[in-house]
Amino acid sequence: MKRKLTLTAATLSALLAFGPAMAADEFNVVSGLTAAGAPLGVHGVDVVSLIEYNKEQAGSAKFTTVHDGVSYYFTSAKHQKSFEANPSKYIPQNGGFCTYGVSVGKKFDGDPSFASVVDGKLYVFLNEDIYNLYLKDQAGTIHKAEENWKKIQHTAAKDL
């Protein structure tokens, strides 16, 4: 009986500890966990650099902030503090999934190498070809993505 209770307690503890990670993938993250205990978002690229300077810079684990169960890396303590002061300003739209993909009801990887900042919001795309499709109708793609995100946000990518 003692062994059964121990196993039950261990299982419950694991579920509580990793519950947010088991939710439908609402954020595009790499598999595995960072040292901060959460998966890495935006491929480890500093989102403050993307938005403020339109520059793709790899962040460092030295400057990590976890927000909504996602680890974000930054190039400096200054960028980390900027993010922490206003995370919603810097978090990519559509959970960091490809905006074009979301506009057609899918959750594809969002690669920060193909990013666009519109009205202070960060949008990422699967690859160069998809980014070029987005450029043909930026406003339409963003609008469709905003509408679809409301419908698919809580749905696992594999179920779309």
Side-chain angles (χ1 to χ4, degrees):
M1 181 71 171
K2 184 177 179 183
R3 182 175 176 187
K4 188 175 181 181
L5 286 174
T6 302
L7 181 59
T8 302
T11 302
L12 183 58
S13 295
L15 287 172
L16 291 174
F18 297 106
M22 288 193 220
D25 44 354
E26 297 175 14
F27 301 99
N28 184 28
V29 295
V30 299
S31 59
L33 301 177
T34 63
L40 182 62
V42 200
H43 297 213
V45 170
D46 182 338
V47 291
V48 175
S49 289
L50 278 172
I51 291 177
E52 299 295 337
Y53 309 109
N54 197 26
K55 188 173 182 182
E56 180 184 1
Q57 293 184 297
S60 167
K62 180 178 178 182
F63 306 109
T64 302
T65 295
V66 176
H67 180 76
D68 279 343
V70 178
S71 290
Y72 293 93
Y73 286 178
F74 302 95
T75 56
S76 67
K78 179 182 176 186
H79 284 194
Q80 183 180 19
K81 287 178 184 174
S82 293
F83 178 90
E84 290 171 348
N86 190 3
S88 62
K89 176 180 178 179
Y90 297 105
I91 292 174
Q93 301 302 296
N94 312 303
F97 291 98
C98 171
T99 296
Y100 191 88
V102 172
S103 78
V104 297
K106 300 292 183 185
K107 287 183 175 177
F108 299 131
D109 183 35
D111 185 340
S113 297
F114 306 100
S116 177
V117 177
V118 177
D119 296 329
K121 295 180 180 180
L122 176 62
Y123 301 91
V124 291
F125 300 88
L126 178 65
N127 57 36
E128 184 176 9
D129 291 337
I130 297 298
Y131 180 75
N132 287 331
L133 285 174
Y134 153 76
L135 290 176
K136 292 178 181 180
D137 184 14
Q138 293 179 33
T141 301
I142 290 170
H143 177 73
K144 288 176 192 172
E146 287 173 353
E147 292 301 312
N148 280 339
W149 186 244
K150 295 171 193 172
K151 300 172 193 170
I152 70 172
Q153 179 178 4
H154 304 294
T155 304
K158 65 183 172 85
D159 295 334
L160 295 173

